[in-house]
Amino acid sequence: MISFTVMAITFGVVFLAELPDKTALAGLMLGTRYRASYVFAGVAAAFAVHVALAIAAGSVLTLLPHRLVQGVVGALFLAGALVLLLRKSDDDEESIKPPEDQSFWKVSGAGFMLILVAEFGDLTQIMTANLAARYDNPLSVGLGAVLALWAVAGLGILGGRTLMKYVPLKLITKIAATLMMVLAGFSFYEAITG
């Protein structure tokens, strides 16, 4: 059964955490060079693979005792918030060999491989696994996460530069870190009282 509340929470957390990530910049870079729809197809497929892996990992966590899982999830959310707050800005763009032609398979394949490699074990993938463990609703978490990642990819590919002119990256990062701290607090509370 789909929970729109869980989907919305997942969407918000993953969206804000992914927005300042280097993969949004990589999508922007590819989107300026190649047909946007081709880039998006490859990037969207890679994000779907990452969400499926994260949901599988989070579902395994639900087999453990509830208090232990909530304590671990709380610690991981807190660690994620600290990573966002303490990480230095990367000025290095992801390097990728551009496809020799503009065919759908070359461009979408380049986008797929770039995101598949860059996002493996990334903070948003770990957060998605945490949310899947926390809410024990893999479908809602998966939909929220994949829609958030696709939204960030679309923004990065089509309008990332414009968004960053009006919304400072530091503000987005602080909001994402605050949301993760709140989720960590709820998880710790459930670990202690549950």
Side-chain angles (χ1 to χ4, degrees):
M1 187 163 153
I2 294 177
S3 165
F4 289 104
T5 303
V6 171
M7 262 180 61
I9 290 169
T10 303
F11 181 92
V13 169
V14 172
F15 181 85
L16 289 171
E18 187 64 22
L19 201 55
D21 196 60
K22 63 184 176 283
T23 52
L25 298 174
L28 173 66
M29 177 190 69
L30 288 172
T32 59
R33 293 183 186 175
Y34 307 110
R35 180 180 270 176
S37 61
Y38 292 4
V39 174
F40 184 78
V43 168
F47 278 134
V49 169
H50 278 287
V51 168
L53 292 172
I55 294 297
S59 296
V60 169
L61 290 176
T62 62
L63 301 174
L64 299 172
H66 181 72
R67 288 181 125 175
L68 174 65
V69 170
Q70 290 306 319
V72 170
V73 167
L76 289 173
F77 273 129
L78 186 59
L82 292 173
V83 166
L84 280 177
L85 290 172
L86 300 175
R87 131 177 111 179
K88 294 179 179 157
S89 306
D90 280 344
D91 291 333
D92 302 335
E93 288 187 11
E94 290 292 317
S95 60
I96 184 168
K97 184 179 177 187
E100 293 180 12
D101 62 36
Q102 293 279 328
S103 75
F104 172 80
W105 294 110
K106 294 270 186 180
V107 174
S108 64
F112 179 85
M113 290 308 296
L114 174 66
I115 297 303
L116 193 69
V117 171
E119 282 292 304
F120 199 78
D122 192 58
L123 179 63
T124 51
Q125 190 177 32
I126 294 167
M127 285 172 33
T128 302
N130 289 343
L131 289 164
R134 174 169 174 62
Y135 292 111
D136 196 18
N137 190 334
L139 182 59
S140 299
V141 171
L143 286 172
V146 82
L147 289 173
L149 293 168
W150 288 354
V152 171
L155 285 172
I157 292 166
L158 297 175
R161 288 186 186 162
T162 304
L163 178 68
M164 293 304 171
K165 285 179 187 175
Y166 298 107
V167 181
L169 192 59
K170 287 183 179 183
L171 175 63
I172 294 167
T173 302
K174 286 179 183 177
I175 291 170
T178 302
L179 280 174
M180 284 197 286
M181 282 192 250
V182 168
L183 287 170
F186 283 130
S187 296
F188 286 137
Y189 176 77
E190 284 187 19
I192 292 167
T193 61

